[in-house]
Structures are given as structure tokens and as C-alpha cells.
Amino acid sequence: MRAALDAAHAAAEADEVPVGAALVHAGRIVAVAANAPRRLTDPTAHAEMLAIREAARLLGRERLEDCDLWVTLEPCAMCAGAIAHARIARLYYGAADPKGGAVEHGARVFAQPTCHHRPEIYSGIGESEAAGLLRDFFRQRRG
Amino acid sequence: MRAALDAAHAAAEADEVPVGAALVHAGRIVAVAANAPRRLTDPTAHAEMLAIREAARLLGRERLEDCDLWVTLEPCAMCAGAIAHARIARLYYGAADPKGGAVEHGARVFAQPTCHHRPEIYSGIGESEAAGLLRDFFRQRRG
């Protein structure tokens, strides 16, 4: 989660919503990504999506069933769907996101009968730092 | 929808699940994509995602609020989330997908209070050809 949090800090510095993700395979981080829709001019460029795409490319396969994803914020519907498609084994996330999350809120993607893969889910890891980063970011933008 | 259906045919020929998408801006098709997770080694490479990313790149912005998306199959949770993030104005789709769809089935992404943008939605366009393509594809794979 340290790598994911560092990526979230980098996102904030780049004026992107501060969310970071890291993808782990066999105890090794294979991809780290920061949220970057503005920088990449890509509305799908959330940290989770970038980390999954990079890991799939590096490992040379579209199924990542032996990989874990660490992300600083509860994934949205898009990212939860991608996690299911990639067959990620374990999902670790920091802060819950009542406004846009789709794991324990809203679409609850993994709880649907239409979801074909459900990772093990662990939440609240690094939560205070992850949530603090987001709070500071939005406070500063409003201020 | 003709361009999306042609892309779906091309996907089938490339041994990918036959789904196609086209993105229209100002009455002009700006991006057409076929489902390609295997070819691209990318679990997120659904037709809708590729068309949205390509259009955002070409138009030079991450918000596509003046664009319409045509797709041969009901979008999944990942793609519905991406459609919301991209602020697509209108979504036209062909066949309903009770097993994996997330518009009128399962996660019902656009019906959630956590969904921050809801396109106008029109379904059933080109449905029989879109559904027939999928049926033939899966029948052939099983056979």
C-alpha cells in the first residue's frame, strides 16, 4: 500500500484526483499507477485501470488470477468491473468512497449475480492517509 | 450501428467475443472498435472502452458530453462506468445481456445514486444481428 499511497501523492502534485494503485504478482510489485485522466486525456485512466493494463502487458496475459491489487480508494463501477474481468485474486483498498465507490456502495459490482469473478476483499488499509490526501485535495480546489 | 456491427463481425473473425462499438460526434463517426482483450493482452479492451479512449484522444478532451456511443451489446459494469466518466450523451445498444450487462441487469450502474452522469439510453437497435453473431460464436466454440 506504500507504493499506492506514493502514487496518490504524485497524482495530487499533478493536479489529478489523488488515487494510486499497485499490482502485486508473486510478492513483487509489477505495476504502480497514479490516477491520470487529465494528463492522458483518457476518461478511463483511473489508477486501477492503468495498473491492471500495465501488469497484463508485462506478464503477457489478460488473466491476472495470481495477482493482488492495492488501491488507496474504494474502486468505482468501471474499475470493479475491470478487476473482475482481470480475475484479480485479492483486492486491498484504503478509504471507502460513499459518493462513487462500487464495492460496498452503489452498484456493489462484486455482489451481483452478473459478476463472474469476485476477489477476496480487504478494506481500510492506509485509510487515514488515503482519505486525508483526498480531503486536502478537494479542500484546496474549493479554497 | 452498421459500423459497430461490422466491428463485431471483425471481432468474431479474430476469435474475440463479437462485440463492436462506434462513437459519434457531430453526426460523424470518430472512433470504431472491436472487442479485443486477447489481441491486445488487455482485460479492459472491450469495444466501448477502446472507442471512448480513441475518441477522447482524437478530440483532445476527456469529457465527451456531445458524443453518442453505439454498441452491439448491453455494456458491462466496467463499460457503463466508463460511459458515465466520459459523460457520453446518448447510449444506443443492440442486444440485452442478462449474464453480464450492467444497464438493465445486475449492477444497473446508471440507476445508482453513486452514478454522476446518466446518458439517454436506447436499446434493441440491430438486436437480432448482434445477438445472432454472439450465439453463432459461442455455439461454434462449444461445438
Side-chain angles (χ1 to χ4, degrees), chain A residues 6 8 18 22 27 61 72-73 76 92-93 97 103 127 130 138 142:
Chain A
D6 289 347
R61 50 190 162 90
T72 59
L73 185 67
C76 71
Y92 301 87
Y93 67 85
D97 182 6
V103 177
E127 180 174 9
F138 286 112
R142 274 194 306 267

Side-chain angles (χ1 to χ4, degrees), chain A residues 16 37-38 40-44 46 49 52-53 56-57 59-64 76-82 85-86 97-102 105-109 112-116, chain B residues 16 37-38 40-44 46 49 52-53 56-57 59-64 76-82 85-86 97-102 105-109 112-116:
Chain A
E16 302 269 8
R38 276 187 212 128
L40 299 177
T41 320
D42 178 355
T44 75
H46 282 191
M49 303 295 283
I52 287 172
R53 294 178 56 211
R57 194 182 64 77
L59 296 174
R61 50 190 162 90
E62 44 142 347
R63 298 265 169 109
L64 307 173
C76 71
M78 174 179 73
C79 294
H85 291 314
D97 182 6
K99 285 187 186 161
H105 297 96
R108 290 179 172 78
V109 169
Q112 303 299 335
T114 45
C115 181
H116 304 304
Chain B
E16 302 270 8
R38 277 186 211 129
L40 299 177
T41 320
D42 178 355
T44 75
H46 283 192
M49 303 295 283
I52 288 171
R53 295 177 56 209
R57 193 181 65 77
L59 297 173
R61 49 190 162 90
E62 44 142 347
R63 298 265 169 109
L64 307 173
C76 71
M78 174 180 73
C79 293
H85 291 313
D97 182 7
K99 286 188 186 160
H105 297 95
R108 289 180 172 76
V109 168
Q112 304 298 336
T114 45
C115 181
H116 304 304

